[in-house]
Amino acid sequence: MNDLVAGGNAPLPDGALSLRVPGPFDLSVIVTGESGKVAGDGDFVFYNQPSAPGARLAGDTVTVDPRRLRPGATRLTVVVSPEQPGTRLGALPVPVLTVTGNGGGVLARFAPPRPGPQTVLLLAELYRRGAGWKIRALGQGYADGLAGVARDFGVDVADEGDGAGGQSPAPAAGGPYGPPAPADAFTALVNAERAAAGAPPVTADHRLAAAARAHAADMAAHGRLAAESPDGTSLFHRVAASGYRCLTVAEHLVSGPRTPAEFAAYCLADPGRARPFRDPAVVHVGAAHVSGPGGDVYWTALWAAPMTPGGLARLTAEVIALTNAERAAAGLRPLAADHRLAAAAQAHSDDMVARDFYAHTSPEGGEPWDRARAAGAPHPGIGENIACGQRSAAEVVRDWMNSPGHRANILKPDFAHIGVGYATGSRAGTYWTQLFGT
């Protein structure tokens, strides 16, 4: 059995699966394709609509057969909300998901961190990977009810709630997505600015919106602007838990504006804050705002491009080119890219994200030369630079060059080879590794 943590994943066997969440909860699932949106309202399985192709809800259990989902379905998100509308999840027992296979054996279990004021939790997702399926633990909270979650996934709903965040989804009149939500209004403002700047339009992404909403709710609950919650959960933990894997990421954390238009105007008034609005590398955006107990409004906006093998290769190649430009300016020979050093560097960046640490020495005591040797690198001399938080190749190379120890590695005459690793997530958002070899 796999005991999952938020962001963790596990492979699933072929065949039907049972997903159970006992307790005072309503269980729902949302079926989506590559776009992250439903194909129609029938993709939302909940107490008023208990079945769809490949998924059936009965009490506290959903039975899913990924092979029988509708054509084009690549993801199924598991959602829990309080059985009693208006109840905050923090007032209830922690919802625990248990996944069993055809034979009744437990395949995976996930107990998320205890929710706070949220009224809905994206608990986990089943997603296609190649020819098989996997499960990823999420634990992503929403503060505006089940209708808000459904709407973010493209379900056409109307709110029939009690005004306390416990809305129930119901069919809505009008177009396929109903009236624009605040995040959609913000996206429209962004794309108007991008069109004026000659940048391609961005798409609103429900995963980024969910992470933004959870972070805005946390800031509102604590009455402060911060990238990290008091419990150590960062905005970038929330992005990873949402299932969005970034190549590049930027964020706005703001309090005060009351509307999407006011928020956009505030950001555009400063060149630094305005940069993501016009950045052609940005592909997706997610934004949300939540009012705090004192009436202050807290905003989070996330700007990102998804991680792809080609994008990662281009980014690491840019780091090498900028590094070699610094060496050329110092009259030194360029460093040759080495795939074994690159593998070791990438593994270290991935490890720092996965295990939430930042150091040259791994938790087991592994050093840079140990990682290089394990990757098959034959170089007798090894050096390593690491960095976190920088959002571009130019920024990280500049910071390394401004640090005497890192600069010494970049400009060391004896080094002849280099590998670069890069990963996103954890506390700082971005984790960079340079591994040098003689």
Side-chain angles (χ1 to χ4, degrees):
M1 181 185 74
N2 286 292
D3 275 314
L4 299 174
V5 298
N9 60 70
L12 294 171
D14 291 336
L17 306 163
S18 293
L19 289 67
R20 180 173 184 254
V21 182
F25 306 107
D26 284 326
L27 185 61
S28 313
V29 295
I30 302 175
V31 180
T32 54
E34 292 296 341
S35 68
K37 298 286 187 179
V38 298
D41 295 350
D43 280 347
F44 185 22
V45 176
F46 67 115
Y47 47 84
N48 281 340
Q49 184 171 267
S51 66
R56 178 172 293 277
L57 171 66
D60 62 6
T61 301
V62 172
T63 302
V64 177
D65 189 340
R67 301 168 301 181
R68 298 183 182 277
L69 295 175
R70 64 160 174 84
T74 59
R75 194 175 302 266
L76 185 145
T77 303
V78 182
V79 183
V80 291
S81 54
E83 193 173 50
Q84 183 63 40
T87 304
R88 275 27 180 183
L89 285 168
L92 301 176
V94 173
V96 178
L97 170 68
T98 302
V99 183
T100 57
N102 259 333
V106 177
L107 303 172
R109 181 180 179 275
F110 175 50
R114 175 171 289 279
Q118 296 89 354
T119 56
V120 177
L121 202 63
L122 306 187
L123 195 55
E125 63 181 3
L126 277 61
Y127 62 100
R128 186 188 298 278
R129 180 64 74 223
W133 285 75
K134 301 182 77 171
I135 183 171
R136 179 185 289 115
L138 299 178
Q140 184 72 59
Y142 267 66
D144 59 352
L146 191 57
V149 175
R151 189 179 295 110
D152 273 0
F153 281 84
V155 179
D156 185 18
V157 299
D159 292 346
E160 295 180 347
D162 58 7
Q167 300 98 331
S168 299
Y177 297 104
D184 296 322
F186 179 67
T187 304
L189 292 166
V190 170
N191 282 333
E193 179 65 26
R194 291 175 74 84
V202 296
T203 301
D205 185 274
H206 76 273
R207 295 163 296 181
L208 295 178
R213 181 175 290 103
H215 197 74
D218 183 85
M219 292 193 299
H222 293 97
R224 64 173 195 151
L225 291 175
E228 189 172 311
S229 304
D231 66 0
T233 302
S234 80
L235 174 60
F236 311 107
H237 285 124
R238 293 187 169 101
V239 173
S242 78
Y244 191 104
R245 189 168 177 233
C246 303
L247 177 68
T248 60
V249 62
E251 73 283 347
H252 286 117
L253 306 177
V254 175
S255 66
R258 313 295 296 184
T259 66
E262 289 179 11
F263 176 52
Y266 171 79
C267 295
L268 289 168
D270 176 83
R273 291 194 299 266
R275 189 172 297 116
F277 280 75
R278 302 161 184 151
D279 184 355
V282 172
V283 176
H284 296 124
V285 68
H289 67 277
V290 174
S291 296
D296 291 334
V297 180
Y298 290 82
W299 290 82
T300 299
L302 285 158
W303 314 78
M307 179 70 76
T308 63
L312 179 60
R314 287 190 293 273
L315 186 62
T316 56
E318 186 180 357
V319 172
I320 294 173
L322 291 168
T323 299
N324 279 333
E326 297 291 349
R327 288 177 66 87
L332 299 171
R333 62 178 172 171
L335 302 171
D338 184 295
H339 69 94
R340 295 158 297 192
L341 293 176
Q346 185 62 48
H348 190 55
S349 287
D350 289 339
D351 193 33
M352 288 191 289
V353 167
R355 296 199 282 174
D356 216 3
F357 75 97
Y358 176 67
H360 293 286
T361 304
S362 72
E364 295 82 14
E367 300 291 354
W369 42 90
D370 299 322
R371 294 189 286 272
R373 188 181 309 112
H379 314 292
I382 293 293
E384 185 179 77
N385 286 343
I386 59 174
C388 66
Q390 295 82 2
R391 303 308 171 84
S392 69
E395 184 181 355
V396 73
V397 173
R398 182 180 67 243
D399 284 359
W400 278 328
M401 288 299 292
N402 288 335
S403 166
H406 298 96
R407 178 186 178 94
N409 271 341
I410 288 174
L411 300 182
K412 186 172 181 176
D414 290 347
F415 286 144
H417 304 274
I418 187 174
V420 175
Y422 169 79
T424 58
S426 196
R427 294 174 187 268
T430 62
Y431 290 77
W432 308 78
T433 303
Q434 280 184 318
L435 202 57
F436 303 93
T438 55

